[in-house]
C-alpha cells in the first residue's frame, strides 16, 4: 500500500496557487484514476483505489503545510504504511516551474 500526499493550505485564497500545487496534483490523480476524495480522517480528506495493481491512498491534509505531519503520521500508523511507501508532493521555490525534483528522504532543505 502507498500513501500519496498533496500539501497545501486549506484557505480558499491559496486555491490553485503554486503554494497549493500538491493539492492540485492529488485532485488531478483522483480525476484521472476515478478515485473519489470524499472520506475524512485524521484531519485529512482522502480516497483510495488501485493504480498499477497497487492499493493507494490519496490524501489532502486539511492543516497548514507546516502542520501536515499531524495528519500524515496518523494515516501511516493506522494503515501501517512504511515511510518508503509515502510520496509527498509540494511546491519547492528552489525548483524551476515545470521541473520535478525527486528525493528519497529528507525535508525541503535536504537533497
Amino acid at each position: 500500500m502507498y500513501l500519496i500526499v498533496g500539501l497545501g493550505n486549506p484557505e480558499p485564497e491559496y486555491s490553485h496557487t503554486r503554494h497549493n500545487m500538491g493539492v492540485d496534483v492529488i485532485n488531478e490523480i483522483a480525476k484521472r484514476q476515478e478515485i473519489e476524495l470524499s472520506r475524512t480522517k485524521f484531519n485529512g480528506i482522502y480516497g483510495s483505489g488501485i493504480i498499477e495493481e497497487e492499493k493507494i491512498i490519496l490524501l489532502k491534509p486539511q492543516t497548514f503545510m507546516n502542520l501536515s505531519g499531524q495528519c500524515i503520521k496518523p494515516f501511516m500508523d493506522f494503515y501501517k504504511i512504511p515511510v518508503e511507501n509515502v510520496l509527498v508532493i509540494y511546491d519547492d521555490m528552489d525548483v524551476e516551474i515545470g521541473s520535478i525534483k525527486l528525493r528519497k528522504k529528507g525535508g525541503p532543505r535536504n537533497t
Side-chain angles (χ1 to χ4, degrees):
M1 180 183 304
Y2 289 85
L3 177 63
I4 305 174
V5 183
L7 299 188
N9 281 331
E11 285 95 8
E13 64 262 23
Y14 291 102
S15 181
H16 304 294
T17 65
R18 183 173 176 179
H19 193 63
N20 263 27
M21 185 270 310
V23 171
D24 292 341
V25 170
I26 292 297
N27 289 336
E28 187 63 27
I29 293 170
K31 179 180 164 186
R32 290 183 185 196
Q33 298 296 322
E34 299 179 351
I35 296 172
E36 190 175 330
L37 300 171
S38 60
R39 294 181 275 175
T40 60
K41 184 181 284 193
F42 306 125
N43 207 12
I45 297 172
Y46 74 104
S48 61
I50 306 292
I51 298 177
E52 305 259 336
E53 300 181 19
E54 292 284 350
K55 182 168 182 175
I56 59 98
I57 296 173
L58 300 177
L59 173 63
K60 299 188 297 184
Q62 297 302 289
T63 59
F64 288 98
M65 285 181 84
N66 60 338
L67 299 175
S68 59
Q70 295 174 358
C71 173
I72 298 168
K73 180 74 166 110
F75 264 88
M76 292 173 65
D77 293 344
F78 185 82
Y79 290 103
K80 297 178 178 47
I81 301 171
V83 70
E84 58 269 12
N85 287 9
V86 177
L87 174 65
V88 179
I89 303 167
Y90 62 95
D91 174 45
D92 184 337
M93 296 301 286
D94 294 331
V95 176
E96 186 177 323
I97 292 176
S99 297
I100 296 174
K101 178 166 104 179
L102 298 175
R103 167 176 45 236
K104 280 187 129 178
K105 63 180 179 176
R109 288 169 184 58
N110 299 335
T111 57

